[in-house]
Amino acid sequence: MAAYEYDYERMNRNLDGTGGISEGEILQNYFAAPTKMSMQMHMGMLMYAVTDDLALMATLPYLVKSMEHLTADGERFSERTSGIGDVGLRAQYVVYAQPDLRHRVLLNAGLSLPTGSINERMNGMRLEYPMQLGSGTVSLNPGVAYLGQAAQWGWGAEFSPNLRIGDNDNGYRLGNDYRLGLWMIRRLNEVANASARVEARRVENIRGADAELDPADEPTKDASLQGGKRLDFLVGFDLRPGQSPRSEHQRVFLEVGAPVYQDLDGPQLKTTFLGRLNWQWRFL
């Protein structure tokens, strides 16, 4: 299977814990305050089913990030980075499946390789942690998933941590990222499905610090203000375009949503919109 995925995340306004904090309040303690940010990811994927139970996957992301700021002097400025992110390698194995596939359990094992830059700069100065393109370290991506189906319905759950190993060349390690997702799918007709999903996420703070980043400049340069908890709700629509030889093995999936709860180690920009578009082509 070959696939392309586009992910978009928008952030604006700041939170400290679960409460909002104004830019003016942030500027009482910092030289600059972030006002909004967007993150786009274009990702190419290849998957090969070695057997009915074992599948291998490789992913290559291309990231585009932008962030806007307000300074204590009343000036506004923008930052932008783009480039290759961290390459992912993953294996998925079915450890249990009923003959009718009503219930299945899958194990995931993966690696994230430090191919993304951690040295992005503007005007000669290193940009803050959220604006870098990679982690600078190898990450382990284990996981477990359960899938169920009956008649016109499907459901599932997945736990997928992202565990960082060692420190990068700039003296820090991004925090571990833990995700737990639950979803339900309803078949609408022969070619379309609708879905709903909730995902709980916990991101730990950065360990260590980049010596070139002054935490007094702005919260995005403070290693202790990058973690938090979030609960997202998303709805999706799945379409198989048709039954012609050109389209019968294709699939298009669109999903949009937003967090319904956020508790951030702030001041930190809060997420206000999430979107994903995925296209797949299966080669049989």
Side-chain angles (χ1 to χ4, degrees), residues 149-196:
Q149 62 181 34
Q152 307 299 316
W153 292 91
W155 58 90
E158 182 175 19
F159 176 62
S160 53
N162 187 4
L163 309 175
R164 316 290 184 176
I165 300 176
D167 293 341
N168 60 32
D169 292 341
N170 291 340
Y172 66 90
R173 177 174 63 193
L174 294 180
N176 293 335
D177 187 347
Y178 304 93
R179 299 180 185 227
L180 175 62
L182 305 172
W183 65 89
M184 183 169 286
I185 301 172
R186 176 68 164 87
R187 184 181 183 186
L188 302 178
N189 52 46
E190 293 296 325
V191 299
N193 304 302
S195 64

Side-chain angles (χ1 to χ4, degrees), residues 11 13 34 92 99 105 115 124 128 135 154 156 162 182 185 189 198-199 238 282:
M11 291 161 280
R13 300 186 298 276
Q92 185 177 78
V105 178
T115 51
E128 53 266 68
S135 63
N162 187 4
L182 305 172
I185 301 172
N189 52 46
V198 293
E199 182 178 82
D238 177 318
R282 295 179 181 269

Side-chain angles (χ1 to χ4, degrees), residues 91-224:
Q92 185 177 78
Y93 187 75
V94 179
V95 295
Y96 171 78
Q98 290 189 340
D100 59 357
L101 300 183
R102 182 179 176 88
H103 302 291
R104 284 178 288 167
V105 178
L106 299 82
L107 292 181
N108 297 316
L111 285 176
S112 180
L113 306 178
T115 51
S117 170
I118 58 170
N119 293 300
E120 294 299 296
R121 296 177 180 272
M122 188 178 78
N123 299 325
M125 300 182 64
R126 185 122 73 207
L127 294 178
E128 53 266 68
Y129 301 108
M131 291 298 291
Q132 298 300 327
L133 302 173
S135 63
T137 62
V138 171
S139 299
L140 297 179
N141 306 127
V144 60
Y146 160 75
L147 304 176
Q149 62 181 34
Q152 307 299 316
W153 292 91
W155 58 90
E158 182 175 19
F159 176 62
S160 53
N162 187 4
L163 309 175
R164 316 290 184 176
I165 300 176
D167 293 341
N168 60 32
D169 292 341
N170 291 340
Y172 66 90
R173 177 174 63 193
L174 294 180
N176 293 335
D177 187 347
Y178 304 93
R179 299 180 185 227
L180 175 62
L182 305 172
W183 65 89
M184 183 169 286
I185 301 172
R186 176 68 164 87
R187 184 181 183 186
L188 302 178
N189 52 46
E190 293 296 325
V191 299
N193 304 302
S195 64
R197 180 167 67 94
V198 293
E199 182 178 82
R201 184 179 181 187
R202 173 71 171 107
V203 180
E204 296 176 343
N205 276 306
I206 294 171
R207 297 189 181 187
D210 187 334
E212 288 195 31
L213 299 180
D214 184 355
D217 281 350
E218 54 184 291
T220 51
K221 295 182 179 180
D222 190 331
S224 66

